Amino acid sequence: MNTKHISIFSLLLSSMLLWQCEPNVDSFTPTSGEADFTKFIAIGDSYTAGYTDGALGQRGQMESFAYILSEQLAYVGSESFNQPLVESEGSVGTTVLAPNQNNGYFQLQIANGDLSPVPTMGDMSIFTEQVYSTENQNFGVPGAKAIHLGYGGYAQANPFFYRFASNLNTTVLTDALAAQPTFISLWIGNNDALAYALAGGKEGNDAITDTDVFGAVYSQIIQGLTANAKVVVGNIPNVDDIPFFNYILSDGHIPFVIEDEGTIRQLQEGEKVLLTASTLLGMGYGQSLEMPLPGTYVLDAEELAEIDEAITSYNTTIKSIADNNESIALVDMNSLLKELGKGLIIDGNVYSGEFVTGGIFSLDGIHVTGRGSAIIANTFIEAINKQFGAKIPMANINDYKTVEFP
Protein backbone atom coordinates (compact mmCIF):
# COMPACT_ATOMS: atom_id res chain seq x y z
CA MET A 1 0.00 0.00 0.00
CA ASN A 2 1.53 3.32 -1.01
CA THR A 3 1.61 6.47 1.14
CA LYS A 4 -1.38 7.98 -0.61
CA HIS A 5 -3.55 4.96 0.13
CA ILE A 6 -2.33 4.83 3.76
CA SER A 7 -3.30 8.51 4.22
CA ILE A 8 -6.78 7.94 2.82
CA PHE A 9 -7.27 4.85 4.99
CA SER A 10 -6.15 6.77 8.11
CA LEU A 11 -8.55 9.60 7.32
CA LEU A 12 -11.46 7.19 6.90
CA LEU A 13 -10.58 5.36 10.13
CA SER A 14 -10.34 8.64 12.06
CA SER A 15 -13.71 9.76 10.70
CA MET A 16 -15.33 6.47 11.73
CA LEU A 17 -13.88 6.73 15.23
CA LEU A 18 -15.09 10.32 15.63
CA TRP A 19 -18.54 9.35 14.36
CA GLN A 20 -18.71 6.49 16.85
CA CYS A 21 -17.74 8.84 19.72
CA GLU A 22 -20.43 11.40 18.99
CA PRO A 23 -23.07 11.50 21.73
CA ASN A 24 -26.48 10.17 20.84
CA VAL A 25 -28.70 13.22 21.38
CA ASP A 26 -32.43 12.83 20.88
CA SER A 27 -33.85 15.51 18.63
CA PHE A 28 -36.27 17.95 20.30
CA THR A 29 -39.24 19.03 18.27
CA PRO A 30 -41.61 21.45 20.04
CA THR A 31 -45.20 20.19 20.11
CA SER A 32 -48.37 21.47 21.76
CA GLY A 33 -49.58 18.09 22.99
CA GLU A 34 -53.20 18.18 24.14
CA ALA A 35 -53.33 21.96 24.60
CA ASP A 36 -54.12 24.78 22.20
CA PHE A 37 -51.77 27.71 22.80
CA THR A 38 -53.04 29.88 19.93
CA LYS A 39 -54.39 32.62 22.23
CA PHE A 40 -52.51 32.72 25.52
CA ILE A 41 -53.47 35.12 28.31
CA ALA A 42 -52.05 35.57 31.81
CA ILE A 43 -54.10 36.48 34.89
CA GLY A 44 -52.63 37.32 38.27
CA ASP A 45 -51.06 39.92 40.48
CA SER A 46 -47.78 41.87 40.48
CA TYR A 47 -45.66 38.84 39.54
CA THR A 48 -47.72 38.38 36.38
CA ALA A 49 -47.69 42.12 35.62
CA GLY A 50 -43.88 42.37 35.83
CA TYR A 51 -43.56 44.43 39.01
CA THR A 52 -39.91 44.46 40.08
CA ASP A 53 -37.48 46.58 42.12
CA GLY A 54 -40.49 48.04 43.94
CA ALA A 55 -42.34 49.42 40.92
CA LEU A 56 -44.08 48.78 37.61
CA GLY A 57 -42.32 49.91 34.46
CA GLN A 58 -41.72 48.71 30.95
CA ARG A 59 -38.40 47.07 31.88
CA GLY A 60 -40.12 44.72 34.30
CA GLN A 61 -43.10 44.14 32.02
CA MET A 62 -40.78 42.86 29.29
CA GLU A 63 -39.20 40.40 31.73
CA SER A 64 -42.24 39.17 33.64
CA PHE A 65 -42.60 35.41 33.92
CA ALA A 66 -45.81 35.72 31.85
CA TYR A 67 -44.00 37.44 28.98
CA ILE A 68 -41.11 34.96 29.08
CA LEU A 69 -43.61 32.09 29.11
CA SER A 70 -45.34 33.60 26.08
CA GLU A 71 -42.06 33.70 24.18
CA GLN A 72 -41.61 29.97 24.73
CA LEU A 73 -45.23 29.23 23.85
CA ALA A 74 -44.59 30.85 20.47
CA TYR A 75 -42.71 27.63 19.59
CA VAL A 76 -45.94 25.65 19.96
CA GLY A 77 -48.49 27.88 18.26
CA SER A 78 -49.03 30.97 20.42
CA GLU A 79 -49.57 33.79 17.95
CA SER A 80 -49.02 36.90 20.10
CA PHE A 81 -48.74 38.36 23.59
CA ASN A 82 -49.82 41.97 23.82
CA GLN A 83 -49.34 43.80 27.11
CA PRO A 84 -50.65 47.09 28.55
CA LEU A 85 -47.15 48.53 28.51
CA VAL A 86 -46.28 51.59 30.56
CA GLU A 87 -46.10 54.49 28.11
CA SER A 88 -43.67 56.48 30.24
CA GLU A 89 -39.94 55.79 30.38
CA GLY A 90 -40.31 55.82 34.15
CA SER A 91 -41.89 53.52 36.72
CA VAL A 92 -44.19 53.78 39.73
CA GLY A 93 -44.73 51.80 42.90
CA THR A 94 -46.89 51.96 46.00
CA THR A 95 -44.45 53.38 48.56
CA VAL A 96 -45.33 57.01 49.30
CA LEU A 97 -42.17 59.15 49.38
CA ALA A 98 -43.93 62.48 49.76
CA PRO A 99 -47.44 63.92 49.28
CA ASN A 100 -48.65 62.94 45.78
CA GLN A 101 -45.32 61.25 45.07
CA ASN A 102 -44.70 57.51 45.00
CA ASN A 103 -41.47 55.65 44.44
CA GLY A 104 -40.01 54.45 41.16
CA TYR A 105 -37.56 51.58 40.70
CA PHE A 106 -35.16 50.96 43.57
CA GLN A 107 -31.49 51.28 42.68
CA LEU A 108 -28.35 50.23 44.53
CA GLN A 109 -26.57 53.36 45.77
CA ILE A 110 -24.00 54.23 48.43
CA ALA A 111 -25.94 55.47 51.47
CA ASN A 112 -24.19 56.18 54.79
CA GLY A 113 -21.16 54.27 53.58
CA ASP A 114 -23.12 51.16 52.65
CA LEU A 115 -24.51 49.89 49.35
CA SER A 116 -28.29 49.94 49.79
CA PRO A 117 -31.46 49.93 47.67
CA VAL A 118 -32.68 53.51 47.29
CA PRO A 119 -36.02 54.42 45.66
CA THR A 120 -36.07 56.71 42.66
CA MET A 121 -38.91 59.18 42.12
CA GLY A 122 -41.89 57.52 40.49
CA ASP A 123 -43.79 58.83 37.49
CA MET A 124 -47.29 59.40 38.86
CA SER A 125 -48.69 59.97 35.37
CA ILE A 126 -48.55 56.19 34.85
CA PHE A 127 -51.56 55.88 37.15
CA THR A 128 -53.62 58.08 34.82
CA GLU A 129 -52.69 56.26 31.61
CA GLN A 130 -55.56 54.65 29.74
CA VAL A 131 -54.09 51.89 27.60
CA TYR A 132 -57.12 49.62 27.26
CA SER A 133 -57.02 47.44 24.18
CA THR A 134 -59.09 44.51 23.01
CA GLU A 135 -55.76 42.93 22.08
CA ASN A 136 -54.46 42.85 25.68
CA GLN A 137 -53.27 39.45 26.90
CA ASN A 138 -51.64 40.27 30.24
CA PHE A 139 -54.15 40.76 33.05
CA GLY A 140 -51.68 40.95 35.91
CA VAL A 141 -52.76 43.58 38.45
CA PRO A 142 -50.33 44.57 41.21
CA GLY A 143 -52.02 44.32 44.59
CA ALA A 144 -54.84 42.08 43.39
CA LYS A 145 -56.18 39.31 45.60
CA ALA A 146 -58.20 36.34 44.39
CA ILE A 147 -61.32 38.04 45.74
CA HIS A 148 -60.62 41.08 43.53
CA LEU A 149 -60.68 39.34 40.14
CA GLY A 150 -64.47 39.24 40.01
CA TYR A 151 -65.03 42.53 41.82
CA GLY A 152 -67.00 45.01 39.72
CA GLY A 153 -65.57 48.50 40.01
CA TYR A 154 -62.09 47.29 40.95
CA ALA A 155 -60.64 49.73 38.42
CA GLN A 156 -61.84 52.53 40.68
CA ALA A 157 -59.98 51.07 43.64
CA ASN A 158 -56.73 49.98 41.99
CA PRO A 159 -54.91 52.44 39.68
CA PHE A 160 -52.86 49.63 38.16
CA PHE A 161 -56.06 48.03 36.84
CA TYR A 162 -57.53 51.41 35.90
CA ARG A 163 -54.76 51.77 33.33
CA PHE A 164 -56.07 48.97 31.12
CA ALA A 165 -59.63 48.22 32.27
CA SER A 166 -62.29 48.39 29.56
CA ASN A 167 -64.46 50.55 31.83
CA LEU A 168 -64.72 51.59 35.48
CA ASN A 169 -67.30 48.93 36.35
CA THR A 170 -65.75 45.91 34.67
CA THR A 171 -63.96 43.04 36.37
CA VAL A 172 -60.55 41.57 35.66
CA LEU A 173 -62.16 38.25 34.73
CA THR A 174 -64.70 39.88 32.41
CA ASP A 175 -61.98 41.63 30.41
CA ALA A 176 -59.75 38.55 30.44
CA LEU A 177 -62.41 36.19 29.12
CA ALA A 178 -63.42 38.76 26.49
CA ALA A 179 -60.00 38.06 24.93
CA GLN A 180 -61.31 34.55 24.09
CA PRO A 181 -58.23 32.67 25.27
CA THR A 182 -57.43 29.08 24.41
CA PHE A 183 -54.80 28.78 27.16
CA ILE A 184 -54.47 30.66 30.46
CA SER A 185 -51.92 31.06 33.23
CA LEU A 186 -53.40 31.89 36.63
CA TRP A 187 -51.22 32.78 39.60
CA ILE A 188 -53.37 34.49 42.19
CA GLY A 189 -53.73 34.35 45.97
CA ASN A 190 -50.34 35.67 47.04
CA ASN A 191 -51.78 38.97 48.27
CA ASP A 192 -54.61 37.26 50.14
CA ALA A 193 -52.06 36.56 52.88
CA LEU A 194 -49.06 38.65 51.81
CA ALA A 195 -50.84 42.01 52.21
CA TYR A 196 -51.42 41.20 55.89
CA ALA A 197 -47.78 40.15 56.31
CA LEU A 198 -46.45 43.30 54.61
CA ALA A 199 -48.55 45.41 56.98
CA GLY A 200 -46.95 43.72 59.97
CA GLY A 201 -50.15 41.88 60.83
CA LYS A 202 -52.35 44.95 60.47
CA GLU A 203 -56.04 44.22 59.86
CA GLY A 204 -58.51 46.28 57.81
CA ASN A 205 -58.04 46.14 54.05
CA ASP A 206 -54.92 44.07 54.64
CA ALA A 207 -56.70 41.30 56.56
CA ILE A 208 -56.06 37.70 55.57
CA THR A 209 -58.78 36.45 53.23
CA ASP A 210 -61.01 33.95 55.03
CA THR A 211 -60.09 30.46 53.84
CA ASP A 212 -63.69 29.48 53.09
CA VAL A 213 -64.18 32.65 51.08
CA PHE A 214 -60.93 31.98 49.21
CA GLY A 215 -62.04 28.44 48.39
CA ALA A 216 -65.41 29.56 47.05
CA VAL A 217 -63.94 32.42 45.01
CA TYR A 218 -61.11 30.33 43.58
CA SER A 219 -63.57 27.60 42.53
CA GLN A 220 -65.70 30.18 40.73
CA ILE A 221 -62.66 31.60 38.97
CA ILE A 222 -61.55 28.17 37.75
CA GLN A 223 -65.06 27.27 36.62
CA GLY A 224 -65.15 30.33 34.39
CA LEU A 225 -61.63 29.91 33.01
CA THR A 226 -61.84 26.20 32.16
CA ALA A 227 -65.12 26.47 30.26
CA ASN A 228 -63.28 26.98 26.96
CA ALA A 229 -59.56 26.81 27.77
CA LYS A 230 -56.88 24.82 29.52
CA VAL A 231 -55.18 26.47 32.48
CA VAL A 232 -51.87 26.34 34.34
CA VAL A 233 -52.10 27.53 37.95
CA GLY A 234 -49.46 28.39 40.54
CA ASN A 235 -49.89 27.85 44.26
CA ILE A 236 -48.83 30.24 47.04
CA PRO A 237 -45.29 30.52 48.50
CA ASN A 238 -44.91 31.01 52.24
CA VAL A 239 -43.60 34.34 53.52
CA ASP A 240 -40.78 32.46 55.28
CA ASP A 241 -39.15 32.04 51.87
CA ILE A 242 -39.21 35.71 50.82
CA PRO A 243 -36.19 37.95 51.65
CA PHE A 244 -38.43 40.82 52.75
CA PHE A 245 -39.16 38.86 55.93
CA ASN A 246 -35.76 37.22 56.42
CA TYR A 247 -33.01 39.65 55.49
CA ILE A 248 -32.61 41.56 58.76
CA LEU A 249 -32.32 38.40 60.87
CA SER A 250 -30.67 36.23 58.23
CA ASP A 251 -27.55 35.73 60.37
CA GLY A 252 -29.34 34.68 63.55
CA HIS A 253 -31.62 35.96 66.29
CA ILE A 254 -31.24 39.48 67.71
CA PRO A 255 -33.42 40.31 70.77
CA PHE A 256 -34.69 43.67 69.50
CA VAL A 257 -37.00 45.58 71.79
CA ILE A 258 -40.45 45.76 70.18
CA GLU A 259 -43.85 47.20 70.94
CA ASP A 260 -46.50 44.49 70.84
CA GLU A 261 -50.11 45.59 71.34
CA GLY A 262 -49.20 48.21 73.93
CA THR A 263 -46.57 46.17 75.77
CA ILE A 264 -42.79 46.43 75.42
CA ARG A 265 -40.91 43.15 75.12
CA GLN A 266 -37.98 41.48 73.42
CA LEU A 267 -38.32 39.92 70.00
CA GLN A 268 -38.64 36.16 70.32
CA GLU A 269 -36.66 33.70 68.22
CA GLY A 270 -38.53 32.80 65.05
CA GLU A 271 -40.40 36.11 64.83
CA LYS A 272 -39.80 38.23 61.73
CA VAL A 273 -38.60 41.80 61.28
CA LEU A 274 -39.72 43.39 58.01
CA LEU A 275 -37.20 44.78 55.54
CA THR A 276 -38.85 48.20 55.86
CA ALA A 277 -37.62 48.37 59.46
CA SER A 278 -34.06 48.96 58.23
CA THR A 279 -34.30 52.75 58.42
CA LEU A 280 -35.74 52.78 61.93
CA LEU A 281 -33.17 50.27 63.16
CA GLY A 282 -30.44 52.54 61.79
CA MET A 283 -31.92 55.37 63.87
CA GLY A 284 -31.66 53.35 67.07
CA TYR A 285 -35.18 51.95 67.30
CA GLY A 286 -35.44 48.46 68.73
CA GLN A 287 -32.36 48.84 70.91
CA SER A 288 -33.83 50.35 74.08
CA LEU A 289 -37.04 50.47 76.11
CA GLU A 290 -37.36 54.15 75.22
CA MET A 291 -37.32 53.48 71.48
CA PRO A 292 -39.01 50.12 70.79
CA LEU A 293 -39.53 48.98 67.21
CA PRO A 294 -43.22 49.48 66.35
CA GLY A 295 -45.21 46.27 65.98
CA THR A 296 -46.15 47.14 62.40
CA TYR A 297 -42.57 46.27 61.44
CA VAL A 298 -42.71 42.84 63.09
CA LEU A 299 -44.54 39.58 62.53
CA ASP A 300 -44.96 37.88 65.87
CA ALA A 301 -45.46 34.16 66.44
CA GLU A 302 -49.26 34.39 66.45
CA GLU A 303 -49.36 36.38 63.22
CA LEU A 304 -46.94 33.99 61.52
CA ALA A 305 -49.11 31.05 62.57
CA GLU A 306 -52.19 32.76 61.09
CA ILE A 307 -50.37 33.37 57.80
CA ASP A 308 -49.04 29.82 57.61
CA GLU A 309 -52.48 28.35 58.35
CA ALA A 310 -54.09 30.47 55.63
CA ILE A 311 -51.49 29.66 52.96
CA THR A 312 -51.65 25.96 53.78
CA SER A 313 -55.42 26.08 53.35
CA TYR A 314 -55.18 28.08 50.11
CA ASN A 315 -52.72 25.57 48.65
CA THR A 316 -54.87 22.62 49.71
CA THR A 317 -57.78 24.22 47.86
CA ILE A 318 -55.72 24.90 44.75
CA LYS A 319 -54.30 21.35 44.68
CA SER A 320 -57.70 19.75 45.21
CA ILE A 321 -59.22 21.72 42.34
CA ALA A 322 -56.27 20.97 40.03
CA ASP A 323 -56.20 17.27 40.90
CA ASN A 324 -59.87 16.93 39.95
CA ASN A 325 -59.69 18.72 36.61
CA GLU A 326 -57.70 17.36 33.66
CA SER A 327 -57.75 20.83 32.10
CA ILE A 328 -55.48 22.19 34.83
CA ALA A 329 -51.70 21.92 35.30
CA LEU A 330 -50.43 22.74 38.79
CA VAL A 331 -47.16 24.57 39.46
CA ASP A 332 -45.76 24.10 42.97
CA MET A 333 -44.36 27.59 43.52
CA ASN A 334 -44.27 26.98 47.26
CA SER A 335 -41.72 24.19 46.82
CA LEU A 336 -39.73 26.18 44.24
CA LEU A 337 -39.12 29.06 46.64
CA LYS A 338 -38.08 26.64 49.37
CA GLU A 339 -35.54 25.13 46.95
CA LEU A 340 -34.24 28.58 46.04
CA GLY A 341 -33.67 29.26 49.71
CA LYS A 342 -31.24 26.34 49.76
CA GLY A 343 -29.53 27.49 46.55
CA LEU A 344 -29.64 26.16 43.01
CA ILE A 345 -27.09 25.84 40.22
CA ILE A 346 -28.74 26.63 36.89
CA ASP A 347 -26.90 27.03 33.57
CA GLY A 348 -23.61 27.28 35.42
CA ASN A 349 -24.74 30.04 37.81
CA VAL A 350 -25.56 29.78 41.51
CA TYR A 351 -28.90 31.24 42.56
CA SER A 352 -30.44 31.57 46.01
CA GLY A 353 -33.09 33.44 47.94
CA GLU A 354 -30.52 35.85 49.41
CA PHE A 355 -31.48 39.50 49.20
CA VAL A 356 -29.52 41.48 46.56
CA THR A 357 -26.82 38.85 45.99
CA GLY A 358 -28.94 35.76 45.29
CA GLY A 359 -29.86 36.77 41.73
CA ILE A 360 -33.53 35.78 42.10
CA PHE A 361 -35.18 38.56 44.08
CA SER A 362 -35.17 42.19 43.06
CA LEU A 363 -34.33 45.15 45.26
CA ASP A 364 -37.74 45.23 46.94
CA GLY A 365 -37.11 41.83 48.52
CA ILE A 366 -40.48 40.49 47.32
CA HIS A 367 -40.61 40.44 43.54
CA VAL A 368 -38.14 38.75 41.24
CA THR A 369 -35.52 39.84 38.74
CA GLY A 370 -35.67 38.95 35.05
CA ARG A 371 -33.71 35.78 35.78
CA GLY A 372 -36.07 34.98 38.62
CA SER A 373 -38.94 35.38 36.16
CA ALA A 374 -37.24 33.00 33.73
CA ILE A 375 -36.85 30.37 36.45
CA ILE A 376 -40.55 30.74 37.30
CA ALA A 377 -41.51 30.54 33.62
CA ASN A 378 -39.50 27.33 33.23
CA THR A 379 -41.24 25.85 36.26
CA PHE A 380 -44.59 26.65 34.63
CA ILE A 381 -43.36 25.05 31.40
CA GLU A 382 -42.38 21.84 33.22
CA ALA A 383 -45.89 21.56 34.66
CA ILE A 384 -47.53 22.27 31.29
CA ASN A 385 -45.39 19.71 29.49
CA LYS A 386 -46.14 17.07 32.11
CA GLN A 387 -49.90 17.64 32.29
CA PHE A 388 -50.67 18.14 28.61
CA GLY A 389 -47.98 16.05 26.91
CA ALA A 390 -46.47 19.13 25.30
CA LYS A 391 -42.84 19.76 24.40
CA ILE A 392 -42.25 23.43 25.08
CA PRO A 393 -38.58 24.49 25.14
CA MET A 394 -37.19 26.08 28.27
CA ALA A 395 -36.15 29.73 28.41
CA ASN A 396 -32.44 30.54 28.58
CA ILE A 397 -32.13 32.08 32.03
CA ASN A 398 -28.86 33.85 31.21
CA ASP A 399 -30.67 35.94 28.58
CA TYR A 400 -32.35 37.97 31.32
CA LYS A 401 -31.26 40.59 33.83
CA THR A 402 -30.47 40.24 37.50
CA VAL A 403 -29.66 42.86 40.16
CA GLU A 404 -27.55 45.63 38.64
CA PHE A 405 -24.62 46.87 40.72
CA PRO A 406 -23.28 50.43 40.29
Side-chain angles (χ1 to χ4, degrees), residues 13-30:
L13 181 61
S14 299
S15 298
M16 290 177 66
L17 289 172
L18 286 172
W19 174 79
Q20 289 175 343
C21 292
E22 288 182 356
N24 182 16
V25 180
D26 293 333
S27 60
F28 182 88
T29 302

Side-chain angles (χ1 to χ4, degrees), residues 247-248 273-283 293 297:
Y247 175 68
I248 289 178
V273 177
L274 279 57
L275 182 62
T276 44
S278 300
T279 300
L280 289 181
L281 292 172
M283 296 167 60
L293 186 66
Y297 292 91

Side-chain angles (χ1 to χ4, degrees), residues 40-45 47-50 61 64 66-67 81-84 135-141 164:
F40 165 60
I41 70 166
I43 303 173
D45 51 36
Y47 280 93
T48 299
Q61 289 178 300
S64 70
Y67 183 77
F81 191 70
N82 299 296
Q83 302 192 91
E135 303 300 317
N136 180 36
Q137 292 171 255
N138 189 328
F139 296 88
V141 182
F164 63 88

Side-chain angles (χ1 to χ4, degrees), residues 26-253:
D26 293 333
S27 60
F28 182 88
T29 302
T31 58
S32 59
E34 300 170 0
D36 178 1
F37 300 106
T38 305
K39 186 66 174 293
F40 165 60
I41 70 166
I43 303 173
D45 51 36
S46 49
Y47 280 93
T48 299
Y51 200 98
T52 187
D53 288 332
L56 182 72
Q58 197 169 128
R59 168 169 64 83
Q61 289 178 300
M62 297 304 293
E63 290 198 332
S64 70
F65 90 88
Y67 183 77
I68 295 172
L69 176 57
S70 76
E71 289 188 307
Q72 302 311 115
L73 293 181
Y75 289 99
V76 289
S78 182
E79 296 178 350
S80 61
F81 191 70
N82 299 296
Q83 302 192 91
L85 293 175
V86 167
E87 295 179 324
S88 163
E89 293 183 359
S91 58
V92 68
T94 58
T95 300
V96 178
L97 301 180
N100 300 315
Q101 185 62 63
N102 288 18
N103 70 292
Y105 284 138
F106 285 86
Q107 295 178 348
L108 282 179
Q109 298 179 14
I110 301 295
N112 299 321
D114 294 322
L115 194 61
S116 305
V118 176
T120 59
M121 298 298 283
D123 184 349
M124 300 295 286
S125 69
I126 293 172
F127 284 145
T128 61
E129 291 177 350
Q130 294 186 355
V131 292
Y132 166 73
S133 169
T134 57
E135 303 300 317
N136 180 36
Q137 292 171 255
N138 189 328
F139 296 88
V141 182
K145 301 180 179 182
I147 56 177
H148 292 148
L149 295 188
Y151 173 46
Y154 189 49
Q156 301 176 56
N158 188 323
F160 290 107
F161 182 42
Y162 170 83
R163 295 182 58 254
F164 63 88
S166 61
N167 61 75
L168 290 177
N169 297 313
T170 191
T171 73
V172 177
L173 289 177
T174 297
D175 283 4
L177 291 176
Q180 298 183 318
T182 62
F183 192 81
I184 303 168
S185 72
L186 173 70
W187 190 15
I188 195 69
N190 293 293
N191 291 317
D192 289 78
L194 181 62
Y196 174 81
L198 293 175
K202 183 180 178 181
E203 294 286 351
N205 293 333
D206 299 316
I208 295 173
T209 301
D210 179 83
T211 54
D212 290 336
V213 172
F214 180 90
V217 168
Y218 200 91
S219 295
Q220 291 175 354
I221 292 171
I222 289 296
Q223 185 176 2
L225 298 186
T226 56
N228 296 296
K230 286 183 167 58
V231 184
V232 57
V233 302
N235 67 6
I236 314 304
N238 201 297
V239 299
D240 286 349
D241 303 310
I242 299 175
F244 188 89
F245 302 99
N246 291 307
Y247 175 68
I248 289 178
L249 297 177
S250 61
D251 295 328
H253 174 62

